[in-house]
């Protein structure tokens, strides 16, 4: 086809718009339209204005608003607002690689207990409470947060960001860990006993991080908890770290940590307001 002496008639243009031409015919008409202003004007008269308007609107929306990442879409379906969903999607410890490695570690720890019996609870008790702690440690921090500059220059408070990401880490990790806990041999209360230290170590980490940062704080918490579990193997029963008396200690630690965190957050806000 050329633009000299030939133009596509209305039936041909209509068939092209309807998609009823074969591949060769459709490609020929399309190439002709690229070079022929008269046929482009003719096809514009055939296309209904509302249809054309919707088509261009779709193109504009696709270009200006690309599809949101899967993590953001899932969060939106759960009722999370888009700004919060975007902040969650940037969280390191909510990415597939981190979650997969955490669940693999939990799986191996659970398998070790199943093969060793109730007297060998140390692998699970060592790993399960530490997974949410390490997840929270990876969830924020000026050196690891890809949105650090955004958080620092917008009204979205860091304390709120830390809280949202902490809750997201707990929601993503604890259900799977709880299911694995059901497989543990021994008394029924053991399936939930690990939750005490798991939930207590998170506020302890947050409070400690307000002084020394998340990396150092997570290292201190990990060493301290490992010492509790490993040292208990020599002198007390395997269930000692999660028995009732110790649960009260974890509760007290959590309450003290929350108080420290609130005081530190209030102090930081006061300092920020004076600068």
């Amino acid at each position: 086809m050329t633009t000299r002496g030939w133009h596509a008639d209305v039936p041909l243009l209509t068939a092209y718009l309807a998609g009823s031409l074969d591949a060769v015919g459709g490609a020929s008409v399309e190439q002709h339209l690229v070079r022929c202003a008269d046929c482009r004007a003719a096809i514009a008269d055939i296309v209904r204005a509302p249809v054309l308007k919707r088509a261009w609107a779709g193109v504009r929306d696709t270009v200006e608003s690309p599809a949101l990442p899967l993590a953001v879409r899932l969060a939106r379906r759960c009722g999370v607002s888009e700004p919060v969903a975007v902040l969650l999607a940037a969280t390191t410890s909510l990415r597939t690689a981190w979650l997969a490695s955490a669940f693999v570690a939990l799986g191996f720890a659970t398998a070790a207990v199943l093969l060793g019996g109730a007297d060998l609870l140390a692998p699970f008790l060592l790993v399960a409470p530490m997974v949410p702690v390490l997840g929270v440690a990876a969830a924020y921090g000026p050196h690891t947060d890809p949105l650090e500059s955004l958080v620092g220059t917008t009204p979205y408070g860091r304390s709120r960001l830390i809280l949202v990401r902490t809750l997201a880490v707990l929601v993503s990790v604890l259900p799977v860990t709880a299911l694995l806990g059901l497989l543990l041999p021994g008394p029924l209360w053991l399936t939930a006993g690990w939750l005490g230290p798991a939930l207590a170590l998170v506020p302890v980490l947050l409070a400690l991080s307000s002084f020394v940062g998340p990396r150092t704080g997570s290292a201190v918490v990990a060493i301290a908890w490992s010492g509790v579990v490993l040292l208990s193997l020599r002198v007390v029963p395997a269930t000692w770290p999660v028995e009732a008396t110790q649960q009260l200690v974890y509760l007290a630690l959590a309450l003290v940590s929350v108080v420290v965190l609130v005081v530190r957050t209030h102090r930081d806000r006061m300092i920020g307001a004076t600068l």
Side-chain angles (χ1 to χ4, degrees), residues 25-137:
S28 300
V29 173
E30 187 170 335
Q31 288 300 315
H32 177 74
L33 289 172
V34 171
R35 295 186 174 90
C36 182
D38 292 337
C39 287
R40 289 199 299 272
I43 201 171
D45 294 334
I46 299 174
V47 179
R48 290 177 295 176
V51 175
L52 188 60
K53 185 176 181 180
R54 287 196 300 270
W56 279 114
V59 172
R60 183 176 61 253
D61 292 342
T62 301
V63 173
E64 296 178 354
S65 302
L68 295 173
L70 177 61
V72 177
R73 296 200 302 271
L74 291 175
R76 295 287 289 119
R77 290 182 180 179
C78 294
V80 179
S81 64
E82 186 171 329
V84 175
V86 172
L87 290 171
L88 290 177
T91 304
T92 303
S93 53
L94 294 180
R95 295 174 185 171
T96 304
W98 194 96
L99 289 174
S101 61
F103 294 150
V104 167
L106 286 168
F108 276 112
T110 306
V113 177
L114 292 176
L115 295 176
D119 294 333
L120 190 61
L121 288 173
F124 186 85
L125 295 182
L126 189 64
V127 174
M130 287 305 304
V131 168
V133 169
L134 297 178
V136 172

Side-chain angles (χ1 to χ4, degrees), residues 3 7 32 38 49 57 73 101 106 117 167 171 184 186 203 213 235 237 267:
T3 58
H7 294 288
H32 177 74
D38 292 337
R73 296 200 302 271
S101 61
L106 286 168
L167 292 176
V171 168
L184 297 178
V235 293
R267 176 178 173 274

Side-chain angles (χ1 to χ4, degrees), residues 71-72 75 80-95 139-140 145-152 154-158 160-162 164-165 168:
V72 177
V80 179
S81 64
E82 186 171 329
V84 175
V86 172
L87 290 171
L88 290 177
T91 304
T92 303
S93 53
L94 294 180
R95 295 174 185 171
Y140 74 98
D145 193 347
L147 299 180
E148 171 62 22
S149 58
L150 176 64
V151 174
T154 60
Y156 201 101
R158 184 178 304 280
R160 183 184 177 192
L161 174 63
I162 292 173
V164 168
R165 287 182 170 178

Side-chain angles (χ1 to χ4, degrees), residues 162-175:
I162 292 173
L163 177 61
V164 168
R165 287 182 170 178
T166 299
L167 292 176
V169 170
L170 294 177
V171 168
S172 62
V173 172
L174 291 185

Side-chain angles (χ1 to χ4, degrees), residues 256-274:
V256 172
S257 300
V258 169
V259 172
V260 172
L261 191 59
V262 170
V263 172
R264 293 283 296 178
T265 301
H266 178 71
R267 176 178 173 274
D268 292 341
R269 287 180 180 176
M270 295 297 293
I271 294 176
T274 58

